[in-house]
Amino acid sequence: MTKGEMESVEVFTSEGKGRGLKAQKEFLPGDVIFAEPAYAAVVFDSLTHVVCHTCFKRQERLHRCGQCKFAHYCDRTCQRAAWLNHKNECSAIKKHGKAPTENIRLAAHIMWKIEREGSGLSEGCLVSIDDLQNHVDHFGEEEKKELHADVQSFLEFWPPQSQQFGMQYISHVFGVISCNGFTLSDQRGLQAVGVGIFPNLCQVNHDCWPNCTVIFNNGKIELRALSKIAPGDELSVSYVDFLNVSEERRKQLKKQYYFDCACEHCKKQIKDDLMLAVKQGESKPSAETVKEVVQFSKDTLEKINKARIEGLYHEVVKMCRECLKKQEPVLGDTNIYLLRILSIASEVLSYLQMFEEAADYAKKMVDGYMKIYHPNNAQLGMAVMRAGVTHWHAGLIEAGHGLICKAYAILLITHGPSHPITKDLEVMRVQTEMELRMFQQNEFMYYKMREAALKNQKIQVMPEPSNETSPGLFHKKE
Protein backbone atom coordinates (compact mmCIF):
# COMPACT_ATOMS: atom_id res chain seq x y z
CA MET A 1 0.00 0.00 0.00
CA THR A 2 1.58 3.25 -1.12
CA LYS A 3 1.31 6.62 0.55
CA GLY A 4 -0.08 8.00 -2.73
CA GLU A 5 -2.97 5.51 -2.71
CA MET A 6 -4.10 6.58 0.75
CA GLU A 7 -3.81 10.26 -0.17
CA SER A 8 -6.51 9.64 -2.79
CA VAL A 9 -9.09 8.92 -0.06
CA GLU A 10 -10.15 10.69 3.12
CA VAL A 11 -11.90 9.61 6.31
CA PHE A 12 -14.98 11.73 6.99
CA THR A 13 -18.20 11.62 9.02
CA SER A 14 -20.93 10.18 6.81
CA GLU A 15 -24.44 11.33 7.71
CA GLY A 16 -26.30 8.61 9.58
CA LYS A 17 -23.44 6.12 9.16
CA GLY A 18 -20.55 7.35 11.31
CA ARG A 19 -17.11 7.25 9.74
CA GLY A 20 -16.76 6.69 6.01
CA LEU A 21 -14.29 7.12 3.16
CA LYS A 22 -14.62 9.60 0.31
CA ALA A 23 -12.63 10.07 -2.88
CA GLN A 24 -10.10 12.86 -3.14
CA LYS A 25 -9.79 12.50 -6.92
CA GLU A 26 -11.70 11.07 -9.87
CA PHE A 27 -11.75 7.31 -10.41
CA LEU A 28 -12.96 5.43 -13.49
CA PRO A 29 -14.45 1.89 -13.61
CA GLY A 30 -11.69 -0.65 -12.96
CA ASP A 31 -9.35 1.77 -11.18
CA VAL A 32 -7.71 0.45 -8.01
CA ILE A 33 -8.50 3.04 -5.33
CA PHE A 34 -6.13 1.36 -2.89
CA ALA A 35 -4.64 -2.05 -2.15
CA GLU A 36 -4.20 -3.00 1.49
CA PRO A 37 -2.27 -5.87 3.10
CA ALA A 38 -3.92 -7.54 6.08
CA TYR A 39 -3.21 -6.14 9.53
CA ALA A 40 -3.60 -9.80 10.56
CA ALA A 41 -5.06 -12.84 8.76
CA VAL A 42 -5.47 -16.59 9.28
CA VAL A 43 -6.53 -19.63 7.25
CA PHE A 44 -9.87 -21.28 8.11
CA ASP A 45 -9.63 -24.25 10.49
CA SER A 46 -10.85 -26.71 7.85
CA LEU A 47 -8.20 -25.68 5.29
CA THR A 48 -5.03 -25.21 7.36
CA HIS A 49 -3.29 -28.15 5.63
CA VAL A 50 -4.20 -27.25 2.02
CA VAL A 51 -3.84 -23.43 1.97
CA CYS A 52 -0.59 -21.49 2.43
CA HIS A 53 -0.62 -19.53 5.69
CA THR A 54 1.24 -16.64 4.04
CA CYS A 55 -0.17 -16.07 0.54
CA PHE A 56 -3.46 -18.02 1.00
CA LYS A 57 -2.99 -19.98 -2.22
CA ARG A 58 -4.34 -23.51 -2.44
CA GLN A 59 -1.56 -25.98 -3.23
CA GLU A 60 -1.44 -29.75 -3.57
CA ARG A 61 1.85 -29.98 -1.70
CA LEU A 62 2.71 -27.64 1.13
CA HIS A 63 5.72 -27.47 3.45
CA ARG A 64 4.77 -27.95 7.09
CA CYS A 65 6.39 -26.01 9.92
CA GLY A 66 8.81 -28.46 11.54
CA GLN A 67 8.27 -27.00 15.01
CA CYS A 68 4.50 -26.72 15.59
CA LYS A 69 3.49 -29.13 12.78
CA PHE A 70 0.47 -26.85 12.19
CA ALA A 71 1.36 -24.02 9.79
CA HIS A 72 1.77 -24.86 6.10
CA TYR A 73 3.53 -22.88 3.36
CA CYS A 74 4.07 -22.96 -0.41
CA ASP A 75 7.85 -22.94 0.00
CA ARG A 76 10.71 -21.53 2.07
CA THR A 77 10.03 -18.03 0.72
CA CYS A 78 6.50 -18.01 2.15
CA GLN A 79 7.74 -19.61 5.38
CA ARG A 80 10.42 -16.95 5.88
CA ALA A 81 7.90 -14.17 5.09
CA ALA A 82 5.58 -15.53 7.79
CA TRP A 83 8.14 -15.97 10.54
CA LEU A 84 7.66 -12.56 12.19
CA ASN A 85 3.95 -13.34 12.64
CA HIS A 86 4.31 -17.08 13.17
CA LYS A 87 7.14 -17.38 15.71
CA ASN A 88 4.95 -16.44 18.71
CA GLU A 89 2.11 -18.59 17.40
CA CYS A 90 4.49 -21.49 16.81
CA SER A 91 5.76 -21.43 20.39
CA ALA A 92 2.25 -21.00 21.84
CA ILE A 93 0.84 -23.93 19.83
CA LYS A 94 3.65 -26.22 21.04
CA LYS A 95 3.02 -25.26 24.67
CA HIS A 96 -0.79 -25.43 24.32
CA GLY A 97 -0.59 -28.85 22.67
CA LYS A 98 -2.83 -27.95 19.71
CA ALA A 99 -3.84 -25.01 17.53
CA PRO A 100 -6.93 -23.09 18.68
CA THR A 101 -9.82 -22.07 16.40
CA GLU A 102 -9.45 -19.46 13.66
CA ASN A 103 -11.07 -16.72 15.80
CA ILE A 104 -8.60 -17.30 18.63
CA ARG A 105 -5.67 -17.46 16.21
CA LEU A 106 -6.70 -14.20 14.53
CA ALA A 107 -7.12 -12.43 17.88
CA ALA A 108 -3.69 -13.69 18.93
CA HIS A 109 -2.10 -12.44 15.68
CA ILE A 110 -3.63 -9.00 16.31
CA MET A 111 -2.41 -8.94 19.93
CA TRP A 112 1.12 -9.99 19.00
CA LYS A 113 1.25 -7.23 16.40
CA ILE A 114 0.06 -4.71 19.02
CA GLU A 115 2.73 -6.07 21.37
CA ARG A 116 5.40 -5.42 18.72
CA GLU A 117 4.16 -2.11 17.29
CA GLY A 118 1.74 -0.63 19.84
CA SER A 119 -1.97 -0.02 19.33
CA GLY A 120 -1.60 3.33 17.57
CA LEU A 121 -1.72 3.97 13.83
CA SER A 122 0.32 1.46 11.82
CA GLU A 123 2.12 2.58 8.67
CA GLY A 124 -0.37 3.22 5.87
CA CYS A 125 -3.41 2.85 8.16
CA LEU A 126 -6.01 5.62 8.39
CA VAL A 127 -7.37 4.25 11.70
CA SER A 128 -6.04 2.09 14.52
CA ILE A 129 -7.41 -1.21 15.81
CA ASP A 130 -8.55 0.68 18.93
CA ASP A 131 -10.76 2.93 16.77
CA LEU A 132 -12.58 0.15 14.90
CA GLN A 133 -16.21 -0.57 15.78
CA ASN A 134 -16.82 -3.70 17.88
CA HIS A 135 -20.65 -3.55 18.38
CA VAL A 136 -20.31 -5.67 21.54
CA ASP A 137 -23.10 -3.58 23.11
CA HIS A 138 -25.45 -4.79 20.34
CA PHE A 139 -24.71 -8.51 20.87
CA GLY A 140 -27.63 -10.76 21.72
CA GLU A 141 -27.50 -13.40 24.46
CA GLU A 142 -26.15 -16.13 22.16
CA GLU A 143 -23.45 -13.83 20.77
CA LYS A 144 -22.44 -12.81 24.30
CA LYS A 145 -22.07 -16.48 25.26
CA GLU A 146 -19.86 -17.08 22.20
CA LEU A 147 -17.82 -13.98 23.04
CA HIS A 148 -17.30 -15.17 26.62
CA ALA A 149 -16.24 -18.64 25.37
CA ASP A 150 -13.79 -17.06 22.88
CA VAL A 151 -12.26 -14.84 25.57
CA GLN A 152 -11.79 -17.85 27.89
CA SER A 153 -10.22 -19.93 25.09
CA PHE A 154 -7.95 -17.02 24.21
CA LEU A 155 -6.74 -16.67 27.83
CA GLU A 156 -5.97 -20.41 27.96
CA PHE A 157 -3.92 -20.13 24.74
CA TRP A 158 -2.20 -16.76 25.34
CA PRO A 159 1.36 -17.24 26.68
CA PRO A 160 2.04 -15.80 30.18
CA GLN A 161 5.31 -14.24 28.99
CA SER A 162 3.50 -12.18 26.30
CA GLN A 163 2.03 -8.74 27.03
CA GLN A 164 -1.13 -9.15 29.10
CA PHE A 165 -4.35 -7.41 28.03
CA GLY A 166 -7.48 -6.65 30.05
CA MET A 167 -10.76 -8.52 29.51
CA GLN A 168 -12.41 -5.42 28.06
CA TYR A 169 -9.71 -4.97 25.43
CA ILE A 170 -9.74 -8.67 24.50
CA SER A 171 -13.54 -8.45 24.10
CA HIS A 172 -13.05 -5.37 21.91
CA VAL A 173 -10.70 -7.31 19.60
CA PHE A 174 -13.16 -10.20 19.28
CA GLY A 175 -15.94 -7.70 18.56
CA VAL A 176 -13.78 -6.13 15.84
CA ILE A 177 -13.22 -9.57 14.30
CA SER A 178 -16.96 -10.34 14.40
CA CYS A 179 -17.95 -7.07 12.71
CA ASN A 180 -14.96 -6.35 10.49
CA GLY A 181 -13.44 -9.69 9.50
CA PHE A 182 -13.06 -9.79 5.71
CA THR A 183 -13.22 -13.07 3.80
CA LEU A 184 -10.04 -14.04 1.94
CA SER A 185 -10.43 -16.15 -1.19
CA ASP A 186 -8.02 -18.53 -2.90
CA GLN A 187 -5.86 -17.38 -5.81
CA ARG A 188 -8.68 -17.85 -8.33
CA GLY A 189 -11.32 -16.17 -6.18
CA LEU A 190 -13.56 -19.24 -6.16
CA GLN A 191 -13.37 -20.43 -2.55
CA ALA A 192 -13.27 -18.64 0.79
CA VAL A 193 -10.09 -19.79 2.55
CA GLY A 194 -9.48 -17.40 5.45
CA VAL A 195 -10.33 -14.23 7.34
CA GLY A 196 -8.38 -11.04 7.92
CA ILE A 197 -8.61 -7.55 9.39
CA PHE A 198 -8.05 -4.59 7.03
CA PRO A 199 -8.45 -1.32 9.00
CA ASN A 200 -8.71 1.03 5.99
CA LEU A 201 -11.26 -1.14 4.23
CA CYS A 202 -13.33 -1.25 7.43
CA GLN A 203 -14.04 2.46 6.91
CA VAL A 204 -15.92 1.85 3.64
CA ASN A 205 -19.68 1.91 4.27
CA HIS A 206 -22.35 -0.30 2.74
CA ASP A 207 -24.65 0.42 -0.19
CA CYS A 208 -26.76 -2.23 -1.92
CA TRP A 209 -25.85 -0.63 -5.27
CA PRO A 210 -22.21 0.33 -4.52
CA ASN A 211 -19.65 2.26 -6.54
CA CYS A 212 -16.78 -0.06 -5.48
CA THR A 213 -16.00 -3.74 -5.07
CA VAL A 214 -13.43 -5.64 -3.04
CA ILE A 215 -11.17 -8.37 -4.46
CA PHE A 216 -8.37 -10.36 -2.80
CA ASN A 217 -5.47 -10.37 -5.23
CA ASN A 218 -1.81 -11.25 -4.81
CA GLY A 219 -1.86 -11.16 -1.01
CA LYS A 220 -3.73 -7.85 -0.70
CA ILE A 221 -7.33 -6.70 -0.72
CA GLU A 222 -8.04 -4.24 -3.54
CA LEU A 223 -10.79 -1.63 -3.46
CA ARG A 224 -11.78 -1.17 -7.13
CA ALA A 225 -14.13 1.37 -8.72
CA LEU A 226 -17.24 -0.06 -10.43
CA SER A 227 -18.45 3.23 -11.87
CA LYS A 228 -17.16 6.75 -12.36
CA ILE A 229 -16.44 8.34 -8.98
CA ALA A 230 -16.06 12.11 -8.64
CA PRO A 231 -13.89 13.87 -6.03
CA GLY A 232 -15.90 14.15 -2.80
CA ASP A 233 -18.12 11.11 -3.54
CA GLU A 234 -18.47 8.61 -0.70
CA LEU A 235 -16.96 5.18 -1.46
CA SER A 236 -19.24 2.21 -0.85
CA VAL A 237 -19.25 -1.58 -1.13
CA SER A 238 -22.06 -4.09 -0.68
CA TYR A 239 -21.83 -6.24 2.45
CA VAL A 240 -24.46 -8.69 1.13
CA ASP A 241 -25.47 -10.25 -2.19
CA PHE A 242 -27.91 -7.99 -4.06
CA LEU A 243 -29.95 -11.01 -5.21
CA ASN A 244 -32.55 -10.59 -2.46
CA VAL A 245 -35.54 -8.26 -2.08
CA SER A 246 -34.86 -5.08 -0.12
CA GLU A 247 -36.72 -6.26 2.99
CA GLU A 248 -34.61 -9.42 3.22
CA ARG A 249 -31.35 -7.54 2.62
CA ARG A 250 -32.24 -5.05 5.36
CA LYS A 251 -33.04 -7.89 7.79
CA GLN A 252 -29.72 -9.56 7.02
CA LEU A 253 -27.77 -6.30 7.44
CA LYS A 254 -29.52 -5.53 10.73
CA LYS A 255 -28.86 -9.02 12.09
CA GLN A 256 -25.22 -9.29 11.01
CA TYR A 257 -23.97 -5.70 11.01
CA TYR A 258 -26.36 -3.90 13.40
CA PHE A 259 -27.57 -1.07 11.15
CA ASP A 260 -30.69 -0.17 9.17
CA CYS A 261 -29.86 0.18 5.48
CA ALA A 262 -31.12 3.49 4.09
CA CYS A 263 -29.63 3.20 0.60
CA GLU A 264 -31.64 4.36 -2.41
CA HIS A 265 -32.38 0.79 -3.59
CA CYS A 266 -33.77 -0.22 -0.18
CA LYS A 267 -35.76 2.98 0.40
CA LYS A 268 -37.39 2.84 -3.04
CA GLN A 269 -37.43 -0.99 -3.23
CA ILE A 270 -35.73 -0.75 -6.62
CA LYS A 271 -35.74 -4.04 -8.56
CA ASP A 272 -37.96 -5.78 -5.98
CA ASP A 273 -40.63 -6.04 -8.68
CA LEU A 274 -38.21 -7.91 -10.95
CA MET A 275 -37.09 -10.27 -8.18
CA LEU A 276 -40.71 -11.17 -7.36
CA ALA A 277 -41.93 -11.15 -10.98
CA VAL A 278 -44.75 -13.48 -12.09
CA LYS A 279 -46.06 -14.34 -15.53
CA GLN A 280 -48.20 -11.60 -17.07
CA GLY A 281 -50.94 -11.49 -19.69
CA GLU A 282 -53.78 -13.95 -20.15
CA SER A 283 -51.88 -16.67 -18.30
CA LYS A 284 -51.22 -14.49 -15.23
CA PRO A 285 -51.49 -16.81 -12.19
CA SER A 286 -53.62 -16.09 -9.13
CA ALA A 287 -52.01 -14.76 -5.93
CA GLU A 288 -52.76 -18.09 -4.24
CA THR A 289 -50.98 -20.04 -7.00
CA VAL A 290 -47.92 -17.76 -6.73
CA LYS A 291 -47.85 -18.23 -2.95
CA GLU A 292 -47.99 -22.03 -3.34
CA VAL A 293 -45.18 -22.11 -5.92
CA VAL A 294 -42.93 -19.80 -3.87
CA GLN A 295 -43.42 -21.99 -0.79
CA PHE A 296 -42.74 -25.12 -2.86
CA SER A 297 -39.54 -23.44 -4.12
CA LYS A 298 -38.39 -22.61 -0.57
CA ASP A 299 -39.07 -26.18 0.60
CA THR A 300 -37.24 -27.59 -2.43
CA LEU A 301 -34.19 -25.37 -1.81
CA GLU A 302 -33.96 -26.74 1.74
CA LYS A 303 -34.15 -30.33 0.47
CA ILE A 304 -31.57 -29.57 -2.23
CA ASN A 305 -29.12 -28.19 0.35
CA LYS A 306 -29.36 -31.43 2.36
CA ALA A 307 -28.92 -33.58 -0.76
CA ARG A 308 -25.86 -31.54 -1.88
CA ILE A 309 -24.20 -31.97 1.51
CA GLU A 310 -24.65 -35.74 1.13
CA GLY A 311 -23.36 -35.64 -2.48
CA LEU A 312 -26.66 -36.92 -3.92
CA TYR A 313 -26.32 -34.92 -7.14
CA HIS A 314 -28.69 -36.99 -9.31
CA GLU A 315 -31.35 -36.45 -6.64
CA VAL A 316 -30.59 -32.69 -6.77
CA VAL A 317 -31.15 -32.68 -10.54
CA LYS A 318 -34.44 -34.54 -10.14
CA MET A 319 -35.67 -31.99 -7.55
CA CYS A 320 -34.57 -29.06 -9.73
CA ARG A 321 -36.43 -30.39 -12.77
CA GLU A 322 -39.58 -30.96 -10.70
CA CYS A 323 -39.37 -27.47 -9.20
CA LEU A 324 -38.73 -25.78 -12.58
CA LYS A 325 -41.76 -27.57 -14.01
CA LYS A 326 -43.91 -25.90 -11.34
CA GLN A 327 -42.13 -22.53 -11.51
CA GLU A 328 -41.97 -21.84 -15.25
CA PRO A 329 -45.74 -21.37 -15.89
CA VAL A 330 -46.05 -19.12 -12.80
CA LEU A 331 -42.87 -17.16 -12.03
CA GLY A 332 -41.32 -14.43 -14.19
CA ASP A 333 -37.90 -14.84 -15.83
CA THR A 334 -36.23 -12.64 -13.18
CA ASN A 335 -37.90 -14.16 -10.12
CA ILE A 336 -35.19 -14.93 -7.55
CA TYR A 337 -36.64 -18.37 -6.68
CA LEU A 338 -36.53 -19.40 -10.34
CA LEU A 339 -32.98 -18.02 -10.70
CA ARG A 340 -31.75 -19.90 -7.63
CA ILE A 341 -33.02 -23.22 -8.96
CA LEU A 342 -31.58 -22.49 -12.43
CA SER A 343 -28.20 -21.71 -10.87
CA ILE A 344 -28.10 -24.96 -8.89
CA ALA A 345 -29.36 -27.03 -11.83
CA SER A 346 -26.77 -25.65 -14.28
CA GLU A 347 -23.90 -26.13 -11.80
CA VAL A 348 -24.80 -29.70 -10.83
CA LEU A 349 -25.61 -30.80 -14.39
CA SER A 350 -22.23 -29.44 -15.54
CA TYR A 351 -20.50 -31.49 -12.86
CA LEU A 352 -22.43 -34.57 -14.06
CA GLN A 353 -21.25 -33.86 -17.66
CA MET A 354 -24.83 -33.19 -18.85
CA PHE A 355 -23.72 -30.03 -20.61
CA GLU A 356 -26.54 -29.36 -23.09
CA GLU A 357 -29.24 -29.23 -20.42
CA ALA A 358 -26.87 -27.31 -18.12
CA ALA A 359 -26.23 -24.72 -20.86
CA ASP A 360 -29.94 -24.17 -21.39
CA TYR A 361 -30.47 -23.43 -17.67
CA ALA A 362 -27.30 -21.33 -17.45
CA LYS A 363 -28.46 -19.10 -20.33
CA LYS A 364 -31.82 -18.46 -18.63
CA MET A 365 -30.05 -17.73 -15.34
CA VAL A 366 -27.65 -15.23 -16.95
CA ASP A 367 -30.48 -13.48 -18.83
CA GLY A 368 -32.23 -12.96 -15.47
CA TYR A 369 -29.07 -11.86 -13.67
CA MET A 370 -28.29 -9.25 -16.33
CA LYS A 371 -31.59 -7.50 -15.60
CA ILE A 372 -31.04 -7.47 -11.82
CA TYR A 373 -27.35 -7.05 -11.00
CA HIS A 374 -25.19 -3.96 -11.43
CA PRO A 375 -23.56 -4.36 -14.89
CA ASN A 376 -20.12 -4.51 -13.24
CA ASN A 377 -21.01 -6.89 -10.41
CA ALA A 378 -18.30 -9.49 -9.64
CA GLN A 379 -20.83 -12.27 -8.96
CA LEU A 380 -22.51 -11.53 -12.28
CA GLY A 381 -19.14 -11.78 -14.03
CA MET A 382 -18.37 -15.15 -12.42
CA ALA A 383 -21.84 -16.49 -13.29
CA VAL A 384 -21.47 -15.40 -16.93
CA MET A 385 -18.02 -17.01 -17.06
CA ARG A 386 -19.37 -20.33 -15.76
CA ALA A 387 -22.22 -20.17 -18.28
CA GLY A 388 -19.72 -19.55 -21.09
CA VAL A 389 -17.58 -22.53 -20.08
CA THR A 390 -20.71 -24.71 -19.86
CA HIS A 391 -21.77 -23.68 -23.38
CA TRP A 392 -18.28 -24.48 -24.67
CA HIS A 393 -18.45 -27.96 -23.12
CA ALA A 394 -21.85 -28.42 -24.78
CA GLY A 395 -20.27 -27.65 -28.17
CA LEU A 396 -22.17 -24.35 -28.47
CA ILE A 397 -19.13 -22.36 -29.55
CA GLU A 398 -20.88 -19.18 -30.72
CA ALA A 399 -22.89 -18.69 -27.52
CA GLY A 400 -19.96 -19.87 -25.39
CA HIS A 401 -17.53 -17.37 -26.91
CA GLY A 402 -20.05 -14.54 -26.57
CA LEU A 403 -20.59 -15.27 -22.87
CA ILE A 404 -16.85 -15.61 -22.19
CA CYS A 405 -16.26 -12.20 -23.85
CA LYS A 406 -19.02 -10.65 -21.68
CA ALA A 407 -17.53 -12.18 -18.55
CA TYR A 408 -14.04 -10.97 -19.48
CA ALA A 409 -15.29 -7.38 -19.89
CA ILE A 410 -16.88 -7.49 -16.41
CA LEU A 411 -13.91 -9.14 -14.66
CA LEU A 412 -11.45 -6.66 -16.17
CA ILE A 413 -13.25 -4.06 -14.04
CA THR A 414 -14.09 -6.12 -10.93
CA HIS A 415 -10.88 -8.19 -10.70
CA GLY A 416 -8.41 -6.40 -12.99
CA PRO A 417 -6.12 -7.83 -15.69
CA SER A 418 -3.53 -9.23 -13.22
CA HIS A 419 -5.95 -11.41 -11.25
CA PRO A 420 -5.47 -15.17 -11.93
CA ILE A 421 -9.15 -15.70 -12.85
CA THR A 422 -8.99 -12.86 -15.41
CA LYS A 423 -5.81 -14.34 -16.89
CA ASP A 424 -7.51 -17.76 -17.15
CA LEU A 425 -10.48 -16.11 -18.83
CA GLU A 426 -8.25 -14.31 -21.33
CA VAL A 427 -6.77 -17.69 -22.36
CA MET A 428 -10.31 -19.07 -22.77
CA ARG A 429 -11.36 -15.99 -24.76
CA VAL A 430 -8.47 -16.38 -27.21
CA GLN A 431 -9.07 -20.13 -27.54
CA THR A 432 -12.80 -19.81 -28.19
CA GLU A 433 -12.18 -16.99 -30.67
CA MET A 434 -9.88 -19.28 -32.69
CA GLU A 435 -12.41 -22.11 -32.47
CA LEU A 436 -15.22 -19.78 -33.58
CA ARG A 437 -13.26 -18.75 -36.68
CA MET A 438 -12.70 -22.42 -37.52
CA PHE A 439 -16.40 -23.15 -36.93
CA GLN A 440 -17.45 -20.31 -39.25
CA GLN A 441 -15.10 -21.49 -42.00
CA ASN A 442 -16.08 -25.18 -41.89
CA GLU A 443 -18.62 -26.34 -39.33
CA PHE A 444 -18.22 -30.05 -40.20
CA MET A 445 -14.42 -29.97 -39.87
CA TYR A 446 -14.63 -28.01 -36.62
CA TYR A 447 -16.76 -30.69 -34.93
CA LYS A 448 -14.53 -33.48 -36.31
CA MET A 449 -11.40 -31.78 -34.95
CA ARG A 450 -13.10 -31.02 -31.63
CA GLU A 451 -14.20 -34.65 -31.26
CA ALA A 452 -10.68 -35.89 -31.99
CA ALA A 453 -9.12 -33.40 -29.57
CA LEU A 454 -11.49 -34.39 -26.77
CA LYS A 455 -10.78 -38.09 -27.35
CA ASN A 456 -7.04 -37.49 -26.91
CA GLN A 457 -7.36 -35.83 -23.52
CA LYS A 458 -9.01 -36.68 -20.24
CA ILE A 459 -12.50 -35.27 -19.90
CA GLN A 460 -12.25 -32.02 -18.01
CA VAL A 461 -14.50 -32.54 -15.02
CA MET A 462 -16.25 -29.43 -13.72
CA PRO A 463 -15.55 -28.65 -10.06
CA GLU A 464 -17.69 -30.49 -7.55
CA PRO A 465 -20.73 -28.39 -6.63
CA SER A 466 -20.45 -26.62 -3.30
CA ASN A 467 -23.11 -25.36 -0.94
CA GLU A 468 -21.08 -22.17 -0.61
CA THR A 469 -21.98 -19.21 -2.77
CA SER A 470 -19.18 -17.02 -4.09
CA PRO A 471 -17.02 -15.79 -1.25
CA GLY A 472 -18.81 -12.97 0.53
CA LEU A 473 -17.19 -9.73 1.57
CA PHE A 474 -17.37 -10.26 5.33
CA HIS A 475 -16.70 -13.39 7.31
CA LYS A 476 -19.35 -14.01 9.96
CA LYS A 477 -18.77 -16.72 12.56
CA GLU A 478 -21.48 -19.39 12.26
Side-chain angles (χ1 to χ4, degrees), residues 349 353-362 390-391 393-396:
L349 284 163
Q353 308 283 307
M354 300 162 76
F355 293 117
E356 286 187 28
E357 187 179 357
D360 180 47
Y361 294 147
T390 300
H391 277 73
H393 275 287
L396 304 168

Short mmCIF file of all heavy atoms in Angstrom, two decimals, residues 349 353-362 390-391 393-396:
data_model
loop_
_atom_site.label_atom_id
_atom_site.label_comp_id
_atom_site.label_asym_id
_atom_site.label_seq_id
_atom_site.Cartn_x
_atom_site.Cartn_y
_atom_site.Cartn_z
N LEU A 349 -25.59 -30.09 -13.10
CA LEU A 349 -25.61 -30.80 -14.39
C LEU A 349 -24.25 -30.70 -15.10
O LEU A 349 -23.81 -31.65 -15.74
CB LEU A 349 -26.71 -30.23 -15.29
CG LEU A 349 -28.14 -30.66 -14.93
CD1 LEU A 349 -29.16 -29.74 -15.58
CD2 LEU A 349 -28.39 -32.10 -15.37
N GLN A 353 -21.57 -33.79 -16.22
CA GLN A 353 -21.25 -33.86 -17.66
C GLN A 353 -22.49 -33.84 -18.56
O GLN A 353 -22.43 -34.24 -19.72
CB GLN A 353 -20.43 -35.14 -17.97
CG GLN A 353 -19.20 -35.33 -17.09
CD GLN A 353 -18.03 -34.45 -17.50
OE1 GLN A 353 -17.62 -34.45 -18.65
NE2 GLN A 353 -17.51 -33.69 -16.57
N MET A 354 -23.60 -33.30 -18.05
CA MET A 354 -24.83 -33.19 -18.85
C MET A 354 -24.89 -31.74 -19.35
O MET A 354 -25.72 -30.94 -18.91
CB MET A 354 -26.03 -33.58 -18.01
CG MET A 354 -25.93 -35.02 -17.50
SD MET A 354 -27.02 -35.42 -16.12
CE MET A 354 -28.58 -35.55 -16.94
N PHE A 355 -23.99 -31.42 -20.28
CA PHE A 355 -23.72 -30.03 -20.61
C PHE A 355 -24.82 -29.33 -21.40
O PHE A 355 -25.03 -28.13 -21.23
CB PHE A 355 -22.39 -29.92 -21.37
CG PHE A 355 -21.20 -30.26 -20.53
CD1 PHE A 355 -20.40 -31.35 -20.85
CD2 PHE A 355 -20.88 -29.52 -19.41
CE1 PHE A 355 -19.30 -31.66 -20.07
CE2 PHE A 355 -19.78 -29.83 -18.62
CZ PHE A 355 -18.99 -30.91 -18.95
N GLU A 356 -25.51 -30.03 -22.27
CA GLU A 356 -26.54 -29.36 -23.09
C GLU A 356 -27.68 -28.84 -22.22
O GLU A 356 -28.11 -27.69 -22.37
CB GLU A 356 -27.06 -30.32 -24.17
CG GLU A 356 -26.05 -30.52 -25.30
CD GLU A 356 -26.64 -31.32 -26.45
OE1 GLU A 356 -27.87 -31.28 -26.65
OE2 GLU A 356 -25.85 -31.99 -27.14
N GLU A 357 -28.17 -29.67 -21.31
CA GLU A 357 -29.24 -29.23 -20.42
C GLU A 357 -28.72 -28.14 -19.48
O GLU A 357 -29.40 -27.15 -19.21
CB GLU A 357 -29.76 -30.42 -19.60
CG GLU A 357 -31.00 -30.08 -18.78
CD GLU A 357 -31.53 -31.26 -17.98
OE1 GLU A 357 -30.97 -32.38 -18.10
OE2 GLU A 357 -32.50 -31.06 -17.22
N ALA A 358 -27.48 -28.30 -19.01
CA ALA A 358 -26.87 -27.31 -18.12
C ALA A 358 -26.77 -25.95 -18.82
O ALA A 358 -27.02 -24.91 -18.21
CB ALA A 358 -25.49 -27.77 -17.68
N ALA A 359 -26.38 -25.96 -20.10
CA ALA A 359 -26.23 -24.72 -20.86
C ALA A 359 -27.56 -24.00 -21.02
O ALA A 359 -27.63 -22.76 -20.93
CB ALA A 359 -25.62 -25.01 -22.23
N ASP A 360 -28.61 -24.76 -21.24
CA ASP A 360 -29.94 -24.17 -21.39
C ASP A 360 -30.35 -23.43 -20.11
O ASP A 360 -30.81 -22.28 -20.14
CB ASP A 360 -30.96 -25.27 -21.71
CG ASP A 360 -32.37 -24.73 -21.88
OD1 ASP A 360 -32.54 -23.72 -22.60
OD2 ASP A 360 -33.31 -25.29 -21.28
N TYR A 361 -30.14 -24.06 -18.95
CA TYR A 361 -30.47 -23.43 -17.67
C TYR A 361 -29.55 -22.25 -17.37
O TYR A 361 -29.98 -21.22 -16.85
CB TYR A 361 -30.37 -24.45 -16.53
CG TYR A 361 -31.40 -25.56 -16.60
CD1 TYR A 361 -31.10 -26.86 -16.14
CD2 TYR A 361 -32.68 -25.34 -17.10
CE1 TYR A 361 -32.05 -27.88 -16.18
CE2 TYR A 361 -33.63 -26.35 -17.15
CZ TYR A 361 -33.31 -27.63 -16.70
OH TYR A 361 -34.24 -28.63 -16.74
N ALA A 362 -28.26 -22.41 -17.71
CA ALA A 362 -27.30 -21.33 -17.45
C ALA A 362 -27.65 -20.08 -18.25
O ALA A 362 -27.51 -18.96 -17.75
CB ALA A 362 -25.89 -21.80 -17.80
N THR A 390 -19.72 -23.65 -19.69
CA THR A 390 -20.71 -24.71 -19.86
C THR A 390 -21.15 -24.81 -21.32
O THR A 390 -21.28 -25.91 -21.86
CB THR A 390 -21.93 -24.45 -18.95
OG1 THR A 390 -21.49 -24.42 -17.58
CG2 THR A 390 -22.98 -25.53 -19.10
N HIS A 391 -21.38 -23.67 -21.96
CA HIS A 391 -21.77 -23.68 -23.38
C HIS A 391 -20.65 -24.26 -24.24
O HIS A 391 -20.91 -24.99 -25.21
CB HIS A 391 -22.12 -22.26 -23.85
CG HIS A 391 -23.52 -21.84 -23.51
ND1 HIS A 391 -23.92 -21.53 -22.22
CD2 HIS A 391 -24.63 -21.71 -24.29
CE1 HIS A 391 -25.20 -21.22 -22.23
NE2 HIS A 391 -25.66 -21.33 -23.45
N HIS A 393 -18.43 -26.51 -23.33
CA HIS A 393 -18.45 -27.96 -23.12
C HIS A 393 -19.59 -28.61 -23.89
O HIS A 393 -19.48 -29.77 -24.33
CB HIS A 393 -18.60 -28.28 -21.63
CG HIS A 393 -17.31 -28.28 -20.88
ND1 HIS A 393 -16.38 -29.28 -20.99
CD2 HIS A 393 -16.79 -27.40 -19.99
CE1 HIS A 393 -15.34 -29.03 -20.20
NE2 HIS A 393 -15.57 -27.88 -19.59
N ALA A 394 -20.69 -27.87 -24.05
CA ALA A 394 -21.85 -28.42 -24.78
C ALA A 394 -21.65 -28.35 -26.30
O ALA A 394 -22.51 -28.80 -27.05
CB ALA A 394 -23.11 -27.66 -24.38
N GLY A 395 -20.52 -27.77 -26.73
CA GLY A 395 -20.27 -27.65 -28.17
C GLY A 395 -20.95 -26.46 -28.80
O GLY A 395 -20.99 -26.33 -30.03
N LEU A 396 -21.47 -25.55 -27.97
CA LEU A 396 -22.17 -24.35 -28.47
C LEU A 396 -21.16 -23.20 -28.52
O LEU A 396 -21.16 -22.31 -27.67
CB LEU A 396 -23.36 -24.02 -27.57
CG LEU A 396 -24.38 -25.17 -27.39
CD1 LEU A 396 -25.35 -24.86 -26.26
CD2 LEU A 396 -25.13 -25.40 -28.70
#
